[in-house]
Amino acid sequence: MKKLNIYLLFLISTQFIFSQVRTVKELATNWKFQKGENITAYQTNFDDSKWETVTVPHDWAIYGPFDKEIDKQHVAIVQNGEQVASEKTGRTGALPHIGTAWYRNTFTLPQYEKGKKVMLLFEGAMSEPKVYLNGKKVGEWAYGYSYFYFDISEDIKEGENTLAVQLSNKEFASRWYPGAGLYRKVSVIVKNKTSINQWGTTITTPIINKEMAKVNIKTNVSGENIHLLTTILNAEGEEVASQKTNTKFGDEFVQNIKVNTPNRWSPKNPYLYTAKTQLYEDDILKDEVLTRFGIREIKYEADKGFSLNGEITKFKGVCLHHDLGPLGTAVNKAALRRQLTILKDMGCNAIRSSHNMPSLEQLELCDEMGFLFLAESFDEWAVPKVKNGYNRFFNEYAEKDIINLVKATKNHPSIVMWSSGNEVPDQWGTAGVKRAKWLQDIFHREDPTRPVTVGMDQVKATIESGFGALLDVPGLNYRVHLYEEAYEKFPQGFILGSETASTVSSRGIYKFPVVQENMKQYDDFQSSSYDLEACSWSNVPDEDFVLQDDKPWVIGEFVWTGFDYLGEPTPYDKSWPSRSSYFGINDLAGLPKDRYYLYRSRWNTTDETLHILPHWNWEGREGETTPVFVYTNYNKAELFVNGKSMGIQEKNTATPQNRYRLMWMDVKYEPGTLKVVALNNEGKPVAEKEVKTAGKPYKIVLSPDRKTIKADGKDLSYVTVSVVDKNGIECPTAINQLKFKVSGSGIYRAACNGDATSLELFHLPTMKLFSGKLVVTVQSKTELGDIHLKVTGKGLKSATVELNTVN
Ligand code: GAL
């Protein structure tokens, strides 16, 4: 019960009032929105009654339509090794995100009275926001991924206030779908003049042992004749320590508080404390802030690598772009939680926010669920990758953007490393070396406790120039053949696989003959799920595994990527239609591809993995060679086709694939049952799995990831839709067109089938199955009650699932 209380208190503190001294009002509803330039929309008396009403977070471009002409780029992608320019479609998702738009919100602040301090906080605005309050410009920013705030104390009024935000997205500004709009939270903070400054609490844990931890808390404040009382609460909400401090150094209180027998944070034990800081002026409470933190120790040491709480820990990580597939970039905590739940089951322990600032929601979840986090800032410095990219802002904004990144997120125990850049072309030349040093120094100044990396693809150049040597953590993107040399020539004594694999595949699609090949393309614009296809610059997963397993100085990897994302449809960026990536371990709908089980078989060390591919519906391929792969944590297994043994395969060191997969290359297809029996080292059967040939699609089957969701108007249930034949066997090649209807206390939010070539719109209640599956996302309303999702399809037995909502 106590636990619940503190959790509630925290929730309240980030959304609404939690005490009289400070209010945080999220501006989420009743926004007016319109696309297009409008020179008077900043004015208070502007008539926006005809504009669309939206809620924020909002992504204006996700509703499409897809169009190959949008942001069509005639470029040579130099970092992909291209020398001749060609026409690229779908690079930024082919969704209408280019142009200007306005958001307006009229709000009142009942807690406001003259003399109060008021901050307007944006957690991201895509992009180049210009912000007006009551007709006057109060500030602007540039980078769409930054958190930023303005002090609006002078411009706010009692009664009604009108906020107007102009956003503009240029063409040729991104290498992926950036989204568009106020896609993260906007809030107004009302507090006293005497108060704790924005992001003013900094908590570190410089000394930790079994008996005690020293918790260092720096609190940046405004006011005189003040003192600070800090109380530390454990995860149950019980007070474990407190300290009152009268002495201020400049604007800062510094406290060192002892916590006995600390419960240390780690991915396995994501234990969180909360610091309650209360600021008093002449014994009157003036401000109060709650900050969650973890007690944990991180170290990076030559030849040992990364250790967490004294335990050597390898990063079993994935890179993630910020879009949430069919929801676009509008941040949603339930969608993020689902992603992390899927990744956790895979055994993943780390996330890299490529190539920009993560949402605060994602960091909160990583703290709670136990993920290590590599927080990245930029994909570009001063030298462009794309014409209108961050290079336009670098000189003016880079320092400000890093300061805000660090200040806003530094108390998250999940963050264990910063990244100042990804494959920046500034890797070439002395100016780039200086920039790398300058950026790293800013990170160090703002946060002396965490190291800084850069994802480097120009490994030879960075060895020569000293660029790689100066970094705290040398990160290599791909280039498995250069790890050894980099380790020898760089002084740090370890290498991070900051980006690995970039293997491509389409869920449920298999191509014959089964051969390993880079940049392989097929007429249907899909990639094979035998997991042997990568890019000219990248590799298949097994090649990374060899390095991870054999070289103790390789401190882990971040696979490109955990989920497919909108844009960058390599190897089909010159083909249309193709509008989303093939790199994901999971597809755009969040459904696992076969590769999921390959990673799971080595990363999840507690649960059994035994997965067969391909599916066994190959009408017309009877008698033809149809290799069978098994991804498993067991070392050997026997395969049977309709009861006939295909022999025993055992993992061996002949090739990287032989080490991590069991492969029967000569199986001839015949319909029926494919069965694998896993064997222990004594040759005894320990587990088995079957895949059967399915008949005609007969019936729709629905399986929600969560049956009970919160009635908060935001929570989501993801319902996987598949079809089975008369015997209940899943039909892996079904492509039926389905229709969705949601009634009761929820709404239909989106559907996605994971097909990178589909131009069907996510928000319309109909979609085709892809490889026999799709996922429907149902969102709660703010009222309690049941939700019904009905799915129908021509010639198929329909299905209904009932969900319910709670407070
Ligand atoms: C990397 C890059 C990523 C993505 C990936 C695709 O070079 O850092 O953003 O483009 O390649 O393989």
Side-chain angles (χ1 to χ4, degrees):
M1 198 53 206
K2 271 191 176 154
K3 191 172 185 172
L4 191 71
N5 285 343
I6 181 78
Y7 183 57
L8 273 181
L9 197 63
F10 181 79
L11 271 184
I12 290 164
S13 79
T14 57
Q15 289 179 2
F16 302 106
I17 313 164
F18 77 89
S19 72
Q20 327 78 307
V21 289
R22 170 183 281 251
T23 60
V24 180
K25 182 186 172 79
E26 186 186 338
L27 301 179
T29 53
N30 293 321
W31 284 88
K32 289 293 189 175
F33 165 77
Q34 195 173 63
K35 243 190 122 171
E37 189 44 276
N38 196 316
I39 51 167
T40 52
Y42 71 94
Q43 292 172 355
T44 307
N45 56 4
F46 176 84
D47 179 12
D48 58 20
S49 58
K50 303 239 159 50
W51 286 14
E52 190 186 343
T53 304
V54 299
T55 55
V56 165
H58 177 248
D59 177 352
W60 86 58
I62 192 62
Y63 307 100
F66 293 104
D67 182 344
K68 71 180 284 206
E69 297 304 317
I70 296 170
D71 208 19
K72 190 163 73 182
Q73 304 186 7
H74 189 78
V75 285
I77 304 179
V78 182
Q79 66 271 20
N80 291 1
E82 293 181 359
Q83 271 150 21
V84 183
S86 58
E87 199 166 279
K88 307 285 185 322
T89 48
R91 198 178 184 199
T92 52
L95 286 162
H97 68 283
I98 311 287
T100 298
W102 282 87
Y103 288 83
R104 288 172 51 89
N105 190 286
T106 301
F107 62 93
T108 52
L109 295 174
Q111 295 75 20
Y112 175 72
E113 58 195 43
K114 253 216 138 17
K116 293 256 182 189
K117 222 182 215 176
V118 185
M119 302 289 149
L120 176 60
L121 173 66
F122 291 81
E123 296 179 15
M126 192 61 72
S127 61
E128 300 189 55
K130 295 194 170 39
V131 181
Y132 302 82
L133 186 68
N134 300 326
K136 183 182 156 201
K137 187 166 176 189
V138 291
E140 62 180 34
W141 209 263
Y143 197 29
Y145 297 100
S146 265
Y147 333 107
F148 57 92
Y149 66 91
F150 306 121
D151 185 337
I152 53 168
S153 312
E154 297 302 316
D155 306 292
I156 200 87
K157 297 186 309 202
E158 289 181 44
E160 270 193 358
N161 290 277
T162 304
L163 177 63
V165 184
Q166 185 208 47
L167 297 169
S168 20
N169 295 327
K170 284 200 187 319
E171 54 183 3
F172 317 137
S174 186
R175 300 191 299 114
W176 56 86
Y177 176 64
L182 293 175
Y183 71 108
R184 287 180 181 166
K185 271 199 257 170
V186 180
S187 37
V188 186
I189 301 155
V190 183
K191 55 187 186 171
N192 291 312
K193 260 221 166 90
T194 296
S195 54
I196 297 165
N197 293 335
Q198 183 65 26
W199 303 325
T201 313
T202 306
I203 305 183
T204 57
T205 52
I207 298 176
I208 308 169
N209 56 48
K210 260 210 173 106
E211 289 73 44
M212 59 78 89
K214 176 164 144 181
V215 180
N216 177 278
I217 305 186
K218 297 193 173 77
T219 310
N220 199 270
V221 296
S222 301
E224 293 305 327
N225 301 323
I226 51 184
H227 72 262
L228 192 75
L229 175 66
T230 296
T231 310
I232 296 185
L233 308 163
N234 64 15
E236 288 72 45
E238 296 154 352
E239 181 176 330
V240 294
S242 74
Q243 197 176 92
K244 184 179 158 188
T245 312
N246 294 308
T247 326
K248 203 157 57 95
F249 302 94
D251 291 334
E252 197 166 78
F253 285 105
V254 180
Q255 297 173 306
N256 284 298
I257 306 179
K258 184 174 159 193
V259 170
N260 290 323
T261 55
N263 198 337
R264 280 178 263 193
W265 184 95
S266 72
K268 280 185 226 133
N269 179 47
Y271 190 91
L272 295 170
Y273 290 89
T274 299
K276 179 166 82 176
T277 31
Q278 293 173 304
L279 184 70
Y280 289 87
E281 183 184 73
D282 300 327
D283 290 329
I284 299 167
L285 181 68
K286 286 290 175 179
D287 201 2
E288 182 171 311
V289 166
L290 297 177
T291 311
R292 279 200 318 187
F293 68 100
I295 297 179
R296 54 111 180 98
E297 181 193 41
I298 57 168
K299 261 196 202 148
Y300 294 80
E301 294 166 289
D303 296 319
K304 285 195 191 153
F306 170 66
S307 58
L308 178 69
N309 302 326
E311 208 178 292
I312 306 262
T313 304
K314 285 218 185 195
F315 295 104
K316 303 191 253 181
V318 298
C319 303
L320 292 179
H321 266 311
H322 67 307
D323 77 59
L324 295 166
L327 307 188
T329 57
V331 71
N332 180 294
K333 209 162 177 178
L336 288 165
R337 187 180 284 112
R338 170 185 180 244
Q339 285 194 334
L340 293 174
T341 305
I342 292 167
L343 293 172
K344 193 90 186 173
D345 176 66
M346 190 170 75
C348 168
N349 70 2
I351 307 291
R352 170 185 181 222
S353 63
S354 43
H355 302 296
N356 31 61
M357 291 76 181
S359 68
L360 300 182
E361 289 84 349
Q362 191 180 34
L363 292 173
E364 283 163 19
L365 288 167
C366 286
D367 289 349
E368 287 164 21
M369 296 171 73
F371 284 88
L372 304 165
F373 208 96
L374 166 45
E376 191 153 84
S377 45
F378 309 121
D379 190 49
E380 227 181 74
W381 295 348
V383 185
K385 276 183 184 172
V386 280
K387 186 171 144 221
N388 292 322
Y390 192 71
N391 65 83
R392 293 190 295 135
F393 313 127
F394 182 81
N395 287 333
E396 190 187 341
Y397 274 95
E399 180 166 8
K400 292 197 269 189
D401 283 328
I402 292 178
I403 290 174
N404 283 12
L405 165 63
V406 176
K407 283 203 189 312
T409 66
K410 61 194 179 261
N411 295 320
H412 290 279
S414 51
I415 300 181
V416 293
M417 199 191 303
W418 305 109
S419 163
S420 66
N422 173 64
E423 297 186 357
V424 288
D426 315 56
Q427 284 165 104
W428 300 96
T430 48
V433 179
K434 283 197 190 130
R435 278 178 208 128
K437 170 90 171 66
W438 178 61
L439 296 170
Q440 181 165 282
D441 286 347
I442 299 170
F443 274 108
H444 287 170
R445 184 189 73 210
E446 297 301 315
D447 174 19
T449 73
R450 295 176 179 95
V452 181
T453 191
V454 170
M456 298 181 287
D457 60 335
Q458 301 306 322
V459 181
K460 292 268 188 195
T462 56
I463 288 175
E464 296 278 300
S465 67
F467 185 111
L470 72 84
L471 301 174
D472 299 327
V473 176
L476 261 58
N477 284 11
Y478 315 100
R479 313 297 185 271
V480 283
H481 58 289
L482 293 175
Y483 270 52
E484 202 70 63
E485 183 181 343
Y487 168 63
E488 260 149 41
K489 301 217 169 129
F490 288 144
Q492 293 88 344
F494 52 79
I495 298 288
L496 169 69
S498 40
E499 201 172 301
T500 63
S502 266
T503 298
V504 288
S505 62
S506 307
R507 179 182 53 77
I509 303 290
Y510 307 89
K511 302 292 187 182
F512 304 97
V514 174
V515 280
Q516 184 166 351
E517 200 173 330
N518 287 344
M519 302 309 272
K520 182 76 187 152
Q521 296 185 41
Y522 303 92
D523 291 347
D524 60 356
F525 304 160
Q526 304 291 354
S527 296
S528 178
S529 270
Y530 276 103
D531 299 327
L532 292 170
E533 294 170 8
C535 308
S536 51
W537 58 91
S538 68
N539 52 272
V540 294
D542 322 66
E543 290 171 33
D544 297 312
F545 297 165
V546 170
L547 287 167
Q548 300 294 326
D549 286 349
D550 295 354
K551 312 287 177 195
W553 42 265
V554 178
I555 66 172
E557 66 168 318
F558 287 88
V559 179
W560 191 264
T561 46
F563 291 83
D564 277 335
Y565 50 94
L566 293 161
E568 207 178 26
T570 312
Y572 296 108
D573 54 4
K574 297 193 215 39
S575 313
W576 184 260
S578 176
R579 47 60 171 165
S580 53
S581 84
Y582 299 77
F583 294 117
I585 292 173
N586 298 280
D587 73 12
L588 197 71
L591 294 169
K593 300 181 189 172
D594 293 296
R595 249 184 302 147
Y596 175 88
Y597 300 95
L598 183 58
Y599 285 99
R600 191 181 191 274
S601 68
R602 52 184 267 111
W603 281 0
N604 182 335
T605 50
T606 51
D607 301 308
E608 176 185 283
T609 300
L610 186 58
H611 176 77
I612 310 180
L613 64 133
H615 63 70
W616 214 234
N617 264 63
W618 296 108
E619 211 181 326
R621 285 191 60 77
E622 288 78 5
E624 288 186 51
T625 304
T626 308
V628 174
F629 290 7
V630 168
Y631 297 159
T632 178
N633 54 298
Y634 297 109
N635 273 332
K636 53 182 170 182
E638 184 167 9
L639 184 75
F640 299 87
V641 176
N642 293 332
K644 281 180 296 225
S645 173
M646 299 289 116
I648 293 174
Q649 289 291 339
E650 184 164 2
K651 290 180 189 167
N652 62 69
T653 53
T655 67
Q657 277 83 279
N658 282 292
R659 229 172 125 172
Y660 300 102
R661 319 177 185 199
L662 299 176
M663 300 181 289
W664 289 261
M665 297 305 291
D666 303 321
V667 178
K668 302 275 183 288
Y669 175 67
E670 58 183 67
T673 303
L674 197 59
K675 175 165 135 180
V676 65
V677 178
L679 307 169
N680 67 12
N681 289 339
E682 288 77 54
K684 294 252 158 14
V686 281
E688 60 176 62
K689 249 294 150 49
E690 279 184 355
V691 174
K692 287 186 172 161
T693 307
K696 287 213 171 61
Y698 170 71
K699 187 173 99 175
I700 296 168
V701 175
L702 306 181
S703 86
D705 67 337
R706 292 164 63 223
K707 279 203 138 179
T708 302
I709 58 176
K710 269 198 235 133
D712 60 1
K714 297 180 204 159
D715 206 359
L716 305 172
S717 176
Y718 282 85
V719 184
T720 300
V721 181
S722 45
V723 292
V724 296
D725 69 6
K726 278 211 154 115
N727 300 315
I729 299 170
E730 269 189 9
C731 303
T733 58
I735 50 167
N736 305 63
Q737 186 80 40
L738 303 181
K739 285 193 177 146
F740 323 115
K741 194 165 170 30
V742 177
S743 54
S745 307
I747 59 162
Y748 167 80
R749 175 73 195 263
C752 183
N753 61 12
D755 177 1
T757 72
S758 165
L759 301 181
E760 288 184 289
L761 296 178
F762 305 119
H763 66 288
L764 300 181
T766 176
M767 192 169 279
K768 259 176 150 175
L769 292 167
F770 176 65
S771 294
K773 285 192 196 305
L774 58 76
V775 177
V776 172
T777 309
V778 175
Q779 183 172 309
S780 63
K781 293 183 185 166
T782 48
E783 75 210 23
L784 283 177
D786 292 341
I787 308 173
H788 307 271
L789 164 68
K790 183 167 184 189
V791 181
T792 54
K794 225 175 160 185
L796 295 169
K797 232 176 135 184
S798 63
T800 302
V801 69
E802 196 166 294
L803 313 169
N804 59 62
T805 57
V806 291
N807 275 324

